Amino acid sequence: MKALYQKIRTLNGKNYGLYKSLADKPWDFGDFALEFLHVQGDPYAPASRVVIKANLSMLGYTGEWGGSFERRLALSDFLHRKLSRLVKEKYPDKDAAIVFDMAGPEMLVRNSLWIDNGELRACLQVRLPGEGRKIQAEVAAEILTMVLPDLVSAGLYYSKSDEAALQEHFRVLAERKEILAQLETRGLCAFVPDGAVLPRASGLSELPLEGAVPFTAPEQMAVTLDVCGREIRGMGIPKGITVITGGAFHGKSTLLQALTRAVYPHIPGDGREGIVIDESALRVGVEDGRSVRGTDLSQFVRDLPGGVSTKNFNTLSASGSTSEAANLLEAMEAGSRAFLIDEDSSAVNFLIRDVRVRKLLGDDREPLIPLTDRIREISAQGYSFILVAGACGDYLDLADNIVIMANYKAECAKSSQPGTCSGEAAVSSARPFVGYMQPLQKSVRPTSAVERQVKVKLSGDTLLQIGFLVSDTSRLNTLVDKQQRLGAGFVLLNLLQNAASNSESSDASNAGDSVAATIQKLHEKIQNVGFRNLPQGMSREMSLPRVVDIACVAFRLREGSR
């Protein structure tokens, strides 16, 4: 710390660009080191980025916290929230001298704070002060050698007063892992525990609704799980076809939304932390105007007028029913085994076909094949469906299980024995990553002559850009924030660049890997060591989505306007 202080003092009043000399080496603070990843070019440029590195033992933590994935995720997430809160309390204003990533209720692998090989890395933004183009050394020294160490000391070191809360963080993850294993052995695709709080405070909030009716499992679907030494009762949703029905405003979509978000673990106190679902589950709905490239839609769309085949379907602007069919089939290709569908966000002619219209037109004049005609066949292959249907009564006859939501309470109208639909999910025909991405490779390049690297950025909150490629992620409900969208973008950029390099070097060892299999290999590495080994992996705040989500982003890639 003293060396950094002295270095900064020598820069007082000098040209702002000399701040870059701070990145020449790591700076020793005793228990931890500080390293500059990026130094801003002027006071008004995007903030500098620094990383704090410390061995867990130096911070007072025992070796077990650097062991299993669940332990590392629990500690990383807990410390992330603590440090984030302290930074926000110290610098509440928009133009803060120090900025640290804010997290939602999900526990995710984040590059802003992660633990691997017994080492903690925390990445923060620091706005280096300047007056015009001159360095303000006194203020900079205070920020970097006084305020920042104090935040690290209060936010990252072990404190006995945090022990109970930290163990609760770990308990949620340990129980989730055990419940996921029991879902498989019991033939279930989801579990909602008694006492879960499903509603949120508002449509713009992730906080639980105060005074909400806690969930109670209907007796016919109740299961009791022995989890980590305690019994947990709740509603077990068997694999197969489950319909959630009921009147308007009685909690159907609220239950579905809670199940959708349950693909990720949630923090203690969120109300949804005990809800568990097949981790590959995906929300499927209509997506008017999305691009579709090379997808086989023949399961749901017969040949089009003029004999146009739908086995290799391409469009820059799909219709409602076509987009939903593509979403479902691509989700299967990406590895999803469970699908969540709400009739309110679906195309009617994808879900059902009116008997009178069917009789009038027949099949020869209607290329669309509704889900009602295919759902039993797909379910028999090992896939599960959870549908909200308040008006589409056709699904009541097709359902294995029917849950009625009445006054926010679940009732069971029909139930099957768990395990009756527990076969292995059939693998949908999967396109190789290299071949699928090859037509897009020419667009993976810097968007201006002055850029040295291909940039990944968001236009608005959901339009992801990778060089000249774009992917509209607005309807991917399981991408929960901007950080996850950027994480998906940087993973795909790395894979696209590697695919191009391997193609040029005639390395065909992985050329046949599917889109999902290619993503899975890199995903496993990041889940272990974080983003630090990914090119540009520490350049922005990002978190790790699931393989299925990244694959769905890839399927939506197209060339953007130039």
Side-chain angles (χ1 to χ4, degrees), residues 284-288 319-325 341-353 368 370-371 392 395 475:
V284 174
V286 69
E287 196 171 342
D288 295 77
S319 67
S321 56
T322 304
S323 68
E324 191 159 2
I341 299 174
D342 192 332
E343 64 181 7
D344 286 349
S345 57
S346 292
V348 174
N349 56 345
F350 171 78
L351 292 182
I352 59 173
R353 192 172 177 205
L368 296 177
L371 182 60
C392 297
Y395 286 96
R475 301 294 181 89

Side-chain angles (χ1 to χ4, degrees), residues 53 73-74 99 145 156 193 327 362 372 386 443 511 518 520 542 549:
K53 297 181 181 180
L73 178 57
V99 177
T145 65
L156 299 182
N327 289 347
T372 49
I386 301 176
S443 296
T518 301
Q520 178 70 42
M542 62 187 82
D549 296 311

Side-chain angles (χ1 to χ4, degrees), residues 129-189:
E131 186 174 1
R133 294 287 303 174
K134 302 297 182 182
I135 290 174
Q136 291 181 301
E138 186 174 342
V139 182
E142 180 182 359
I143 294 170
L144 292 169
T145 65
M146 295 175 63
V147 176
L148 188 56
D150 286 348
L151 289 170
V152 170
S153 178
L156 299 182
Y157 280 74
Y158 174 79
S159 171
K160 191 169 182 59
S161 62
D162 289 335
E163 180 67 25
L166 175 56
Q167 291 293 349
E168 185 70 3
H169 245 63
F170 173 65
R171 179 192 65 79
V172 168
L173 292 168
E175 290 185 352
R176 177 183 175 87
K177 182 180 180 180
E178 179 60 29
I179 292 172
L180 278 168
Q182 293 194 36
L183 291 187
E184 190 61 35
T185 59
R186 288 172 174 258
L188 303 173
C189 72

Side-chain angles (χ1 to χ4, degrees), residues 28 71 109 125 135 146 155-156 218 223 258 288 331 341 352 382 441 461 481 535 544 550:
D28 184 13
R71 287 275 183 186
V109 175
Q125 297 181 53
I135 290 174
M146 295 175 63
L156 299 182
V223 296
D288 295 77
I341 299 174
I352 59 173
Q441 290 288 354
D461 291 337
D481 54 28
L544 185 62
I550 301 172

Side-chain angles (χ1 to χ4, degrees), residues 246-377:
F249 305 105
H250 279 255
K252 304 185 302 297
S253 295
T254 300
L255 174 56
L256 191 76
Q257 179 63 11
L259 289 167
T260 301
R261 287 299 185 92
V263 297
Y264 302 113
H266 284 68
I267 58 173
D270 174 77
R272 301 168 294 186
E273 62 267 37
I275 304 175
V276 179
I277 193 170
D278 183 319
E279 288 189 305
S280 71
L282 196 70
R283 183 80 169 260
V284 174
V286 69
E287 196 171 342
D288 295 77
R290 67 152 289 192
S291 64
V292 180
R293 190 169 61 85
T295 301
D296 182 357
L297 300 183
S298 57
Q299 279 197 67
F300 290 100
V301 187
R302 302 182 184 90
D303 286 354
L304 302 178
V308 178
S309 173
T310 57
K311 289 184 177 294
N312 184 23
F313 187 79
N314 296 275
T315 181
L316 291 176
S317 183
S319 67
S321 56
T322 304
S323 68
E324 191 159 2
N327 289 347
L328 177 57
L329 293 166
E330 289 173 354
M332 293 168 68
E333 182 180 350
S336 181
R337 299 179 299 273
F339 312 106
L340 303 114
I341 299 174
D342 192 332
E343 64 181 7
D344 286 349
S345 57
S346 292
V348 174
N349 56 345
F350 171 78
L351 292 182
I352 59 173
R353 192 172 177 205
D354 183 79
V355 174
R356 289 164 294 184
V357 173
R358 191 188 292 262
K359 183 177 179 180
L360 176 66
L361 296 180
D363 290 339
D364 58 330
R365 288 193 287 178
E366 174 51 84
L368 296 177
I369 303 169
L371 182 60
T372 49
D373 289 15
R374 292 281 190 252
I375 193 168
R376 294 298 323 176
E377 172 191 335

Side-chain angles (χ1 to χ4, degrees), residues 9-125:
R9 295 295 295 178
T10 66
L11 302 178
N12 190 42
K14 294 183 179 180
N15 185 279
Y16 193 93
L18 289 176
Y19 266 134
K20 292 187 180 295
S21 63
L22 299 179
D24 290 344
K25 65 174 185 177
W27 300 96
D28 184 13
F29 279 67
D31 291 343
F32 64 90
L34 182 149
E35 184 177 336
F36 284 83
L37 301 176
H38 164 73
V39 179
Q40 63 200 91
D42 62 66
Y44 309 103
S48 303
R49 296 181 66 81
V50 301
V51 62
I52 302 294
K53 297 181 181 180
N55 289 325
L56 290 181
S57 59
M58 299 299 290
L59 299 176
Y61 298 97
T62 57
E64 65 178 352
W65 290 105
S68 70
F69 174 76
E70 286 73 27
R71 287 275 183 186
R72 292 185 292 122
L73 178 57
L75 181 57
S76 295
D77 188 83
F78 182 83
L79 294 179
H80 186 289
R81 295 173 193 279
K82 185 179 179 183
L83 181 59
S84 179
R85 183 176 65 254
L86 290 170
V87 171
K88 194 65 177 176
E89 289 173 357
K90 177 67 178 178
Y91 294 108
D93 298 331
K94 185 176 180 180
D95 295 327
I98 299 176
V99 177
F100 188 61
D101 189 23
M102 300 289 288
E106 298 82 11
M107 292 195 231
L108 305 171
V109 175
R110 297 183 173 89
N111 70 343
S112 45
L113 197 154
W114 186 243
I115 295 165
D116 71 271
N117 293 323
E119 184 178 62
L120 177 147
R121 292 178 176 83
C123 187
L124 304 95
Q125 297 181 53

